[in-house]
Structures are given as structure tokens and as C-alpha cells.
Amino acid sequence: MNILLCPPKIILQHPKTEWLSLQKTAPLVIATCASQQKEITQHLGADITVRFYDNFNDNSLVELDLYRFARDNNVTGVHFLAEIDVLRAARISDRLELTHGRAQSAMLFRDKFLMKSLVQSHQIAIPAMALVNNATEIAIFIEEYGYPCVIKPNDGRGSQGVVVVKNDSELNNYLSQLTPLHYHNLLIEKFIEGEPYQINSLYLRGKPIFVSASRATVSCLDFLSGSTLGLVMEDDNPLHQKLIAYARRLAEEVFPTEENALLHLEVFVNKQNEIIFGELACRLGGCFVNEELGAAFGLDPRMIWLAACLNDNYPEKLLQRTPLKQVGQLNVPPQNATLTAIEQTCPLPFVLKYRATGIVGRHYDPMKLTNGEIISAIVEGKNSNEVDENLNILANWVASHTHWV
């Protein structure tokens, strides 16, 4: 038996048939949040065992309860699909003695200071950074490196709590909102000017099945602030090859990557065409990334990875994949308003997948994490320029068919 810690959003993105197919590989118990218990129960039925927990993400008892359940039911593996579960899945696994040192390795993917210190030790460029414990240390860093700078939780996720400070006035406003408790977990960095890129990878038995690089049309912070986020798969050019080689070096030489792994890397490329490390997560990117990669490579990364984790003999043949088609991804955040109209389908011929999750009549607040989009879609094109053009056409179509008051 295996345990999977998984948020409701991901459970509902995959049909029941896919979850049942995993059960054929090995018995699986899913642990998730009770906030969508009704929807999940209807979606999965009684054939799949689900353990529901109130306040799943922040409930300390989840970890203890799952440990006891695993200990008493001969659980042989503990797995995760979201950032919030990386460390607690590793701690449960180590405590059961299924693994040794997994939590220590996982910390390198969650503690941004440790992560970037490791990268820097391999002579790979990172932004200037420091852990800061008070306002004076923040001021000293800015005196040395200047504005703009980025201040963030050292173990943050989904861009929550990330602030860009551009001048003394913005710094004073930011500091006025902090309490002493905040200073126990703060990292400051020099702001990097450059184009953002996201690279997602699937490794099975230590071999890369695919490494896929996409250019982001806006930053994660812009997305969090209300801008539509597009991701455009890169053409096979020198920059693309450089990004792929960079991602592989991190995965295969720098970080303690597990034999079966999903990886999500964020970097910036500056005007000198230099790659500056952002961060690396041992899970797939959010939003519609699984669907984007599925359309491009003709497989389901999450389900293949899970199947490999559940069964040492799966898959029997490991083949490195090249893209079957050039695709891009569009994600539309909510406005700070009430949604009055949204289209459930999209007629544009280049749209491969379209999902609208916004609810008419609901008042939305700005996103706190980069996972609250109300529309996601996958488009195709002959090359990255056409994908980019199609994303713009789709974004304009969505804007004209989505209404707020």
C-alpha cells in the first residue's frame, strides 16, 4: 500500500479511470483536504480510499495521523504532488524507515537560502541574497546592493508573501506591516532584470524522459497581481539547448534528485544571455503545466511518475521523448470583482484544451498564491512565434467574453 498527499485541485483534474489504473499498479490511499470532500467523493466513488482532513495544508495532525496509519497498514511508499507536502511526506517516509535522509534532501528544495547556496557552491550564478532577521539587516543589504530588491519568505510557495521594493518609501511601507515573527523566515535578494523561463522535467529510473523549456510572458509576481500568464514552448535554438543543458546539470549533478522525479525550474535570462537561477522544486509546475506537457509529449507526466513510484517494474521501456507538437499555455487570474459571465467552451481552432473554473455570481479577491486561475487553456502552433500569436488571440477572446462588476 502507498500513500499520496494530494490537493483537491489535482485530484479533480484527473478522471477516475486514471486513478483506478494506478490502483492496478499498487493499492493507493489519497490524503487530501476536506474542503471539497463532496466533489471528490462524487468524482472518485467508493473504489478509491481517501482520507480527508480539515485545513489540510496547515494541519500539523495530518503528518502524525498518516504516520500512524502507514505504520499500522504496511505502507511501502509516501508520495506527494504539491509543494506544501514535500517535507511532510519525506518526514513520514524517514520515520517509517522507508527512506533515510530524504527529509534532509527535500529541505534543499524548500529552503531557498540552502537551495541557492548549494547552486552557488557549484559556480552557478544566483542573485545576491541574505537571510535577514531585522530591519537593520534589510537596510544594510540595500545599502550594498541597491534597489530594487525582492523580500520573500525563505520557505514560501506560489509567490505568496513576495514583495519587490523599489525605493525608501516602498521599503518603509513594507517594514511597517511586519511583526517580529516575520523576521524568523525572511530572505532578501537583488532583483534580476531578465526574461522569465520555466523548465519542467520528468526523470524515471534516473533517466530524463523529457526536459521542456517555456518562456513566460509575465513574471509570477505579475500573474499574482492580475496579469494573464502565458507560457510558450521554445523552438530548438541555441538558447533552448542552453536552458535544457542547464536544467540537466542541476538535476543530475547539483541536487539530490530522486530516481523518479518531477522537477520545476524557474530562471531568468538577462540581456547578456546569461541564465540566472531562480528556484528549483521537486514537483511539476502548477496551473496547466501537466496538460501542456501532455499535449506536447503525448503522455501524462503526473500519472507516469506515480505509476513508476508505485511499481519498480514500470515502465518496462524507458524512451526519451521529443515534442510531438509546439504548444503554449494561458492562465487567466480573477479580478477583484464579481464574475458575471464566463465561457465554458472555446471555438478557436488552435485551442487544444480549455478549462473554465470561474463561478458566475462569485466575488473574487486577488490571488494569494499562483494557483487560483479561473481559466486555463492549451494552444498549438507551428513554432514559438505562432504559439505566442495564438496565445494573444485567445487572451483577447477571453477578455471579451469574461465580464466583471
Side-chain angles (χ1 to χ4, degrees):
M1 181 182 293
N2 288 259
I3 291 175
L4 172 67
L5 287 77
C6 187
K9 180 178 179 180
I10 292 179
I11 295 173
L12 296 171
Q13 283 177 0
H14 294 270
K16 178 181 177 179
T17 53
E18 291 186 355
W19 293 113
L20 286 174
S21 69
L22 287 176
Q23 297 281 41
K24 297 176 182 177
T25 305
L28 181 68
V29 174
I30 300 175
T32 192
C33 188
S35 60
Q36 291 184 265
Q37 183 169 349
K38 181 179 179 181
E39 296 93 326
I40 291 171
T41 301
Q42 291 175 343
H43 184 67
L44 297 180
D47 300 312
I48 298 172
T49 301
V50 182
R51 296 177 70 85
F52 292 99
Y53 296 90
D54 293 327
N55 193 28
F56 182 70
N57 286 351
D58 300 310
N59 186 346
S60 298
L61 295 178
V62 170
E63 197 169 321
L64 298 183
D65 183 73
L66 287 177
Y67 164 73
R68 296 186 188 108
F69 174 84
R71 178 195 61 195
D72 297 339
N73 289 274
N74 194 32
V75 165
T76 57
V78 184
H79 313 288
F80 62 89
L81 282 171
E83 193 85 3
I84 193 68
D85 298 319
V86 171
L87 281 173
R88 56 184 177 182
R91 288 191 293 260
I92 295 169
S93 182
D94 281 352
R95 190 177 178 191
L96 291 167
E97 297 187 346
L98 301 173
T99 52
H100 299 279
R102 188 180 181 196
Q104 184 176 358
S105 296
M107 187 65 75
L108 291 168
F109 292 94
R110 291 295 296 124
D111 185 305
K112 299 183 193 303
F113 184 79
L114 289 179
M115 175 194 301
K116 294 182 182 185
S117 296
L118 174 64
V119 171
Q120 188 177 42
S121 73
H122 285 76
Q123 289 73 54
I124 298 173
I126 66 166
M129 66 167 187
L131 292 173
V132 285
N133 297 298
N134 50 64
T136 296
E137 290 180 356
I138 292 175
I140 290 172
F141 181 92
I142 293 173
E143 285 177 3
E144 181 172 359
Y145 296 103
Y147 292 110
C149 63
V150 183
I151 309 175
K152 64 180 73 174
N154 188 43
D155 63 351
R157 61 189 178 88
S159 298
Q160 187 175 30
V162 179
V163 175
V164 177
V165 178
K166 300 175 183 177
N167 51 52
D168 286 346
S169 176
E170 291 185 2
L171 175 62
N172 291 339
N173 182 60
Y174 172 74
L175 292 176
S176 69
Q177 301 173 48
L178 295 187
T179 66
L181 185 62
H182 288 101
Y183 288 111
H184 293 290
N185 190 37
L186 275 188
L187 179 73
I188 188 169
E189 296 177 340
K190 177 64 180 172
F191 181 84
I192 298 298
E193 296 281 357
E195 281 200 302
Y197 285 81
Q198 298 186 11
I199 301 99
N200 289 279
S201 312
L202 170 64
Y203 280 78
L204 298 180
R205 298 186 202 164
K207 298 179 181 179
I209 304 306
F210 66 74
V211 183
S212 178
S214 295
R215 176 180 56 83
T217 58
V218 299
S219 71
C220 290
L221 282 182
D222 291 333
F223 181 42
L224 201 62
S225 299
S227 298
T228 294
L229 169 65
L231 291 167
V232 181
M233 281 186 64
E234 277 292 303
D235 293 330
D236 188 21
N237 54 35
L239 175 59
H240 174 261
Q241 294 166 10
K242 187 176 179 180
L243 289 167
I244 299 303
Y246 181 95
R248 289 195 60 175
R249 181 186 176 194
L250 290 172
E252 298 167 24
E253 300 176 21
V254 177
F255 282 82
T257 306
E258 294 192 357
E259 187 178 49
N260 300 315
L262 292 168
L263 298 172
H264 175 70
L265 172 65
E266 296 180 4
V267 301
F268 296 91
V269 177
N270 63 19
K271 292 180 180 179
Q272 291 74 43
N273 225 30
E274 298 169 327
I275 302 174
I276 310 297
F277 180 83
E279 57 186 72
L280 179 66
C282 53
R283 46 83 183 166
L284 207 58
C287 297
F288 230 30
V289 168
N290 196 67
E291 289 76 4
E292 174 194 334
L293 298 169
F297 293 95
L299 49 76
D300 187 317
R302 282 194 197 119
M303 288 296 159
I304 287 182
W305 173 77
L306 272 172
C309 290
L310 298 177
N311 183 352
D312 291 339
N313 297 319
Y314 177 91
E316 294 181 0
K317 293 182 179 180
L318 299 175
L319 298 175
Q320 190 166 345
R321 296 289 187 104
T322 56
L324 303 174
K325 59 179 65 176
Q326 201 86 353
V327 301
Q329 176 187 164
L330 188 80
N331 295 283
V332 181
Q335 295 184 19
N336 186 15
T338 299
L339 182 64
T340 59
I342 189 170
E343 291 292 331
Q344 295 300 317
T345 59
C346 178
L348 298 175
F350 49 78
V351 174
L352 301 177
K353 293 188 178 182
Y354 175 89
R355 182 177 67 202
T357 55
I359 299 174
V360 171
R362 174 180 290 182
H363 178 84
Y364 286 84
D365 297 319
M367 292 192 301
K368 294 181 179 180
L369 294 165
T370 52
N371 65 354
E373 67 280 357
I374 61 163
I375 293 175
S376 297
I378 305 298
V379 307
E380 64 177 339
K382 291 182 293 216
N383 51 49
S384 61
N385 284 336
E386 186 170 283
V387 169
D388 203 2
E389 291 171 3
N390 288 342
L391 284 174
N392 287 327
I393 294 170
L394 175 58
N396 291 330
W397 180 89
V398 167
S400 65
H401 289 80
T402 308
H403 302 290
W404 304 84
V405 292

